[in-house]
Amino acid sequence: AEYMGIVVTMQGIKYIAIGRPQASVVLSSYSTDTHDPNSKTYNQVFRQVMSHPLLKPSFRFKLDFELGNIFLLTDSHFIVYLAIVDTGFRERHAFELLKSVSADCQPQLRSLQEGAEQSFQKRGLKITKAAVSTTLNALGNDKMVQVQQKVDDVIEVMQDNIKKTLLNTVLLEDLEEKTSDLRNTASKFSRDARKVKNKNLWNKLKLRLLGGGVATIVLGAIVLPIVL
């Protein structure tokens, strides 16, 4: 439906009514679905609630109902505001809706004289529709905020995962670099070790050759005089 240029979805809200218990008068009633077969039942329930002996000014209560939940609010002037909503509709939102209707209706109801209730029906219907529209739009905004919050949470988790992935990549590259450096160091150490080993072998060989030469000279010095 569209009201005052605003697209209105009535999901969750079935019926709203305004009444004056002292005169047992229904000032205004509004079924959000004009084809709802329970509209007459809603009206009967509202009249029964208005006639309840425990009803008093500045009062509110919630009642489970086979067709939904009933929320009722009375103001200080003993005007009754009632809403019938789906069982999944939140209590806080239902009472906010009734408070909105009450706030908009009170200025006009204060000056409304008994017997002139018929003149208020159109105004009451207009006020009720506007309150329903405002409430549902607010609920829609709340849901958008909740969805956006969930999206932000998912994005934050994804960003955190990306950061961890990048960090792991950097650590892996650093580890590979250190491994390569260690491999190069080990290779250099191995070459140096071979050089030292070869040098030591050459030194030992030179010592043996030198020792052999010295022994030959000494032996020659001993043997030659004898032979000659």
Side-chain angles (χ1 to χ4, degrees), residues 22-36:
Q22 294 146 316
S24 298
V25 174
V26 177
L27 298 172
S28 177
S29 63
Y30 172 46
S31 291
T32 57
D33 183 359
T34 55
H35 301 290
D36 191 340

Side-chain angles (χ1 to χ4, degrees), residues 2-193:
E2 184 170 343
Y3 177 71
M4 297 178 65
I6 302 174
V7 177
V8 182
T9 57
M10 303 302 180
Q11 184 179 4
I13 302 173
K14 297 182 176 183
Y15 174 84
I16 299 178
I18 306 167
R20 180 176 276 168
Q22 294 146 316
S24 298
V25 174
V26 177
L27 298 172
S28 177
S29 63
Y30 172 46
S31 291
T32 57
D33 183 359
T34 55
H35 301 290
D36 191 340
N38 298 309
S39 295
K40 290 184 178 180
T41 303
Y42 299 152
N43 285 324
Q44 292 173 357
V45 169
F46 182 51
R47 290 186 178 277
Q48 289 176 0
V49 169
M50 280 204 304
S51 63
H52 198 285
L54 296 180
L55 208 59
K56 59 184 179 180
S58 303
F59 180 70
R60 76 176 194 175
F61 73 82
K62 171 190 173 184
L63 180 66
D64 293 334
F65 181 49
E66 60 182 3
L67 299 177
N69 288 334
I70 297 175
F71 292 90
L72 180 140
L73 179 73
T74 64
D75 62 18
S76 58
H77 300 282
F78 205 13
I79 301 297
V80 177
Y81 306 88
L82 177 140
I84 298 178
V85 299
D86 288 336
T87 54
F89 201 83
R90 292 188 176 182
E91 179 175 337
R92 176 173 64 86
H93 296 147
F95 281 119
E96 285 178 355
L97 170 61
L98 293 178
K99 287 179 181 179
S100 176
V101 174
S102 172
D104 291 338
C105 287
Q106 280 185 11
Q108 299 184 48
L109 290 174
R110 288 196 193 104
S111 59
L112 186 67
Q113 297 180 354
E114 291 189 13
E117 287 84 2
Q118 292 289 333
S119 63
F120 179 76
Q121 287 186 2
K122 289 184 178 180
R123 285 179 289 167
L125 183 60
K126 184 177 180 180
I127 291 171
T128 302
K129 285 184 176 181
V132 169
S133 174
T134 301
T135 299
L136 291 176
N137 286 335
L139 290 178
N141 292 334
D142 287 346
K143 289 180 180 178
M144 286 298 296
V145 170
Q146 292 173 7
V147 170
Q148 185 62 48
Q149 182 62 46
K150 290 181 180 179
V151 170
D152 292 341
D153 291 342
V154 171
I155 291 175
E156 185 177 351
V157 171
M158 291 177 63
Q159 289 177 340
D160 187 52
N161 289 336
I162 291 172
K163 288 179 181 178
K164 288 180 180 179
T165 301
L166 291 174
L167 179 60
N168 290 336
T169 302
V170 171
L171 291 175
L172 182 59
E173 291 177 351
D174 186 51
L175 180 61
E176 290 178 348
E177 184 178 351
K178 289 181 178 180
T179 302
S180 179
D181 292 342
L182 184 60
R183 190 182 299 113
N184 293 333
T185 302
S187 178
K188 184 176 181 298
F189 178 79
S190 179
R191 289 195 302 270
D192 292 343

